[in-house]
């Protein structure tokens, strides 16, 4: 798989130890064995990702750069003043553009690392993780200001970049929060492979919106997994308008008695754009 060809170089520029190193290696082994899906795979019958093997996408973290003044201006235009905007540029948190998380949130290192992968894209995301963190909202906390995780990709780090955003967020019992995951980028060719892992604890309420408005040469493959505990409630909307090729895998796991979800999707594309959405709910 071409997407794994720079794994050794990535390890040299972003070395890892202990559990993170083991996680990366397990992800690499899985992705190497599994390979990218083809149209012979039932779930990918209508979507081809062969372009990912035809281009030499390089992880942005191999050659990290800071956004130019023009790019900073472009990013500021898409930020929502009424939201708490947490901005990632080419996969790296940009502290200049980001605000503090609202009161009630804490950030910690994960207590454990994943040992299984849903598919090759999930594993590929793990291969190129520099760090892993878990964002936790305390129990019995109502967050008034929506939180916007903004991922912006630009070719300033070189042509055909690849980024692998990964967010794990835990919402405490009886808490409520509105979350936005938004993807934007420049007009260049790049590949975004994201994973948003959301855990909603007992009687918590979450509104989750995913916006995909990438540049029109981009590829965006996204996975959202939402695990719902007892009496937890979810309202979700996925909106896609960008990218040459995009696919969103949404998995809602109703693990607790009385948990519920409402899932909606809106797509506004034209010309040769290809958008694919897979949604599943498991009890």
């Amino acid at each position: 798989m071409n997407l794994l060809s720079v794994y050794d170089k990535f390890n040299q520029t972003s070395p890892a130890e202990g559990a993170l190193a083991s996680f990366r290696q397990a992800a690499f082994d899985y992705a190497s064995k599994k390979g990218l899906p083809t149209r012979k795979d039932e779930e990918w019958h209508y979507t081809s990702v062969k372009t990912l093997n035809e281009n030499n996408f390089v992880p942005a973290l191999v050659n990290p750069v800071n956004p130019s003044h023009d790019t900073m201006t472009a990013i500021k235009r898409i930020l929502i003043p009424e939201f708490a905007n947490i901005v990632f540029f080419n996969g790296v948190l940009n502290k200049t553009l980001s605000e503090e998380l609202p009161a009630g949130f804490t950030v910690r290192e994960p207590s454990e690392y994943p040992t299984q992968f849903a598919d090759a894209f999930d594993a590929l995301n793990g291969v190129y993780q520099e760090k892993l963190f878990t964002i936790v909202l305390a129990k019995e906390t109502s967050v008034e200001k929506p939180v916007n995780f903004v991922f912006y990709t630009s070719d300033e780090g070189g042509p055909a970049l690849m980024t692998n955003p990964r967010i794990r967020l835990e919402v405490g019992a009886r808490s409520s929060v509105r979350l936005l995951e938004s993807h934007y980028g420049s007009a260049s060719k790049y590949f975004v492979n994201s994973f948003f892992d959301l855990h909603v604890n007992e009687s918590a309420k979450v509104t989750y919106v995913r916006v995909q408005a990438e540049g029109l040469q981009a590829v965006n493959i996204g996975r959202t997994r939402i695990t719902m505990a007892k009496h937890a409630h979810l309202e979700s909307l996925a909106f896609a308008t960008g990218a040459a090729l995009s696919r969103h895998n949404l998995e809602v796991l109703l693990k607790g008695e009385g948990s519920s979800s409402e899932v909606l999707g809106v797509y506004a594309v034209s010309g040769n754009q290809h958008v694919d959405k897979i949604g599943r709910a498991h009890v």
Side-chain angles (χ1 to χ4, degrees):
M1 185 195 300
N2 286 352
L3 295 170
L4 297 173
S5 62
V6 293
Y7 177 60
D8 290 338
K9 185 174 182 180
F10 173 74
N11 273 335
Q12 292 173 4
T13 56
S14 301
E17 298 179 350
L20 178 58
S22 298
F23 170 66
R24 278 189 193 173
Q25 187 62 51
F28 178 85
D29 293 342
Y30 181 97
S32 298
K33 182 178 179 179
K34 187 73 173 178
L36 291 179
T38 70
R39 285 187 168 176
K40 294 181 180 180
D41 296 288
E42 183 176 353
E43 291 189 355
W44 293 84
H45 184 69
Y46 299 103
T47 299
S48 171
V49 293
K50 65 180 182 179
T51 185
L52 296 177
N53 274 328
E54 295 172 349
N55 292 274
N56 294 318
F57 290 101
V58 177
L61 290 172
V62 170
N63 183 30
V65 296
N66 293 319
S68 66
H69 173 77
D70 288 344
T71 299
M72 292 279 280
T73 301
I75 295 174
K76 288 178 181 178
R77 289 196 191 104
I78 61 177
L79 300 183
I80 306 172
E82 295 79 13
F83 286 30
N85 297 289
I86 313 300
V87 181
F88 296 82
F89 174 74
N90 285 359
V92 177
L93 177 67
N94 186 287
K95 295 183 179 180
T96 301
L97 293 169
S98 297
E99 302 171 45
E100 295 290 333
L101 284 165
F105 283 101
T106 57
V107 180
R108 59 174 172 79
E109 294 186 13
S111 57
E112 58 184 12
Y113 287 78
T115 57
Q116 296 181 331
F117 303 96
D119 60 13
F121 289 105
D122 179 13
L124 182 68
N125 180 282
V127 167
Y128 294 116
Q129 289 302 310
E130 183 180 34
K131 298 178 182 178
L132 287 182
F133 293 102
T134 300
I135 302 171
V136 180
L137 176 60
K139 64 181 182 180
E140 299 176 351
T141 303
S142 179
V143 182
E144 293 185 7
K145 199 172 188 179
V147 182
N148 183 16
F149 295 96
V150 181
F151 299 95
Y152 191 95
T153 307
S154 168
D155 62 357
E156 292 178 53
L161 290 183
M162 169 173 52
T163 66
N164 293 276
R166 193 179 191 100
I167 296 287
R168 179 185 170 96
L169 197 153
E170 298 178 2
V171 179
R174 297 173 296 282
S175 291
S176 63
V177 65
R178 290 169 291 172
L179 304 169
L180 175 61
E181 176 193 357
S182 51
H183 295 266
Y184 300 91
S186 64
S188 61
K189 182 176 291 186
Y190 59 84
F191 169 41
V192 176
N193 176 36
S194 66
F195 186 7
F196 199 97
D197 190 13
L198 176 60
H199 293 253
V200 186
N201 284 300
E202 182 177 349
S203 299
K205 295 181 180 180
V206 173
T207 299
Y208 164 76
V209 177
R210 185 183 193 269
V211 173
Q212 185 278 103
E214 303 280 13
L216 294 182
Q217 295 189 63
V219 176
N220 182 292
I221 305 293
R223 174 176 294 277
T224 302
R225 183 174 62 204
I226 305 175
T227 305
M228 309 286 292
K230 182 178 179 181
H231 297 305
H233 180 68
L234 167 74
E235 293 180 355
S236 173
L237 170 66
F239 175 67
T241 185
L245 167 63
S246 70
R247 176 179 168 113
H248 181 217
N249 291 277
L250 173 63
E251 185 177 22
V252 180
L253 306 175
L254 301 172
K255 292 291 190 179
E257 179 183 357
S259 59
S260 61
S261 65
E262 181 180 358
V263 178
L264 302 173
V266 178
Y267 311 97
V269 292
S270 62
N272 293 323
Q273 287 180 269
H274 181 101
V275 60
D276 191 2
K277 169 76 178 288
I278 299 294
R280 298 184 186 86
H282 303 284
V283 178

